[in-house]
Amino acid sequence: ALLENLPRLPELDYVPTAKYEEAPIEEVLHPLIAEASVILVAGAYFGDEGKGKTVDAIARHPEVKVVARVNSGENAGHTVFGETGHKYDFHLCPSGLLTPGKVNMIGPECVMDPVS
């Protein structure tokens, strides 16, 4: 009953006017990698934010040498596709595990479940 008389929020009526397009990795991500000595992919929320896919894209760059997972425990799974198109769900391993020539590390702050 308390919510019935509240005015509608104007933000709910927003209609986008621009067309959104996905930018090529080489155009956006590669310049960032070239300028940085370290790239951190941090999550703002728990759950599916695309962190694993972002790390996988970064790991494929030839200048990237190390991919690390530094803290936390197992998750629902970072989905990564191998060279043959096979789908993998990594629950603890860094998403760069399938990228040839990369060093993958799991930090001391990670919680490992020996059963899974």
Side-chain angles (χ1 to χ4, degrees):
L2 294 174
L3 300 177
E4 290 177 4
N5 298 324
L6 289 177
R8 183 172 173 82
L9 297 172
E11 293 83 0
L12 295 176
D13 297 321
Y14 169 76
V15 177
T17 56
K19 181 179 178 185
Y20 297 96
E21 295 181 22
E22 186 174 335
I25 289 175
E26 295 79 14
E27 207 175 283
V28 178
L29 188 58
H30 286 194
L32 293 173
I33 294 170
E35 292 178 17
S37 57
V38 173
I39 295 179
L40 170 73
V41 177
Y45 303 98
F46 297 104
D48 184 14
E49 301 173 285
K51 294 180 297 288
K53 290 177 182 155
T54 302
V55 170
D56 187 50
I58 293 169
R60 292 174 189 268
H61 192 279
E63 290 183 27
V64 172
K65 306 293 182 220
V66 177
V67 181
R69 182 176 177 122
V70 295
N71 65 9
S72 189
E74 294 186 15
N75 57 51
H78 292 173
T79 304
V80 176
F81 291 92
E83 302 241 342
T84 62
H86 184 81
K87 178 181 170 183
Y88 296 90
D89 290 321
F90 292 147
H91 299 277
L92 184 62
C93 297
S95 295
L97 189 64
L98 297 178
T99 310
K102 308 298 177 182
V103 174
N104 287 269
M105 304 169 100
I106 298 176
E109 296 296 322
C110 289
V111 179
M112 298 180 82
D113 181 359
V115 175
S116 65

